[in-house]
Amino acid sequence: MRYRIKKETKPKLPTFGKYKAVAVHNQTIESRQLFEEAASRGMAISGGVLEGLMMTVAETVRRHLQMGDKVRLKGFGLLKLEIESEKVDNLKDFRAKKHIRGVRLHFIPESEKGSPELYQGITFEKVRNYIEE
């Protein structure tokens, strides 16, 4: 995994002015490419059929997440939505429209004995000649 060093620029954070590693992403793989790759791995199904199946699964997963369910995808991990909200001192002061800032998707990779397969084998390489922002 490639990374670069970045200076924290948010003054309100306790880490303001300090340096951290951030991931450098090579490219964005579009769904069509994923479907074609998966179909070419010895499956008796075309990329188009696989795309139709995956779009149906994606729609179903999205619906369940929006209803407040957690979704576990075998071989991949657990997906769930979490609410981000401001904190209030008094319970009676809390107003959803005022204090809920948004919703975030949380992904917890499938793991065996606490070691997610997704993270196994990752090595780190600093990007050379990267100019600090």
Side-chain angles (χ1 to χ4, degrees), residues 1 16 34 51 62 77 81 84 123:
M1 187 170 201
F16 174 71
L34 286 177
E51 180 177 12
R62 184 173 38 253
L81 295 179
E84 286 192 353
T123 59

Side-chain angles (χ1 to χ4, degrees), residues 86-126:
E86 294 178 30
K87 294 159 184 73
V88 295
D89 293 325
N90 187 327
L91 173 64
K92 293 178 182 179
D93 293 336
F94 187 86
R95 301 290 178 266
K97 287 188 179 197
K98 180 178 180 183
H99 296 107
I100 293 179
R101 293 188 303 247
V103 178
R104 297 287 184 255
L105 175 67
H106 284 227
F107 170 65
I108 303 163
E110 188 174 274
S111 67
E112 202 160 307
K113 298 178 184 172
S115 178
E117 189 176 318
L118 177 65
Y119 303 146
Q120 293 176 4
I122 294 177
T123 59
F124 299 97
E125 173 191 351
K126 185 176 180 183

Side-chain angles (χ1 to χ4, degrees), residues 27-38:
Q27 59 185 326
T28 300
I29 305 298
E30 299 296 336
S31 57
R32 188 78 188 139
Q33 183 179 345
L34 286 177
F35 304 139
E36 292 300 330
E37 265 185 58

Side-chain angles (χ1 to χ4, degrees), residues 58-74:
E59 180 183 313
T60 305
V61 167
R62 184 173 38 253
R63 184 172 39 82
H64 277 281
L65 289 172
Q66 290 174 337
M67 292 186 323
D69 297 334
K70 294 188 259 184
V71 177
R72 186 177 314 279
L73 300 172
K74 186 176 180 179

Side-chain angles (χ1 to χ4, degrees), residues 4-15:
R4 65 182 176 84
I5 303 298
K6 181 180 180 194
K7 189 174 189 176
E8 180 58 69
T9 59
K10 297 176 184 170
K12 292 184 178 183
L13 291 179
T15 56

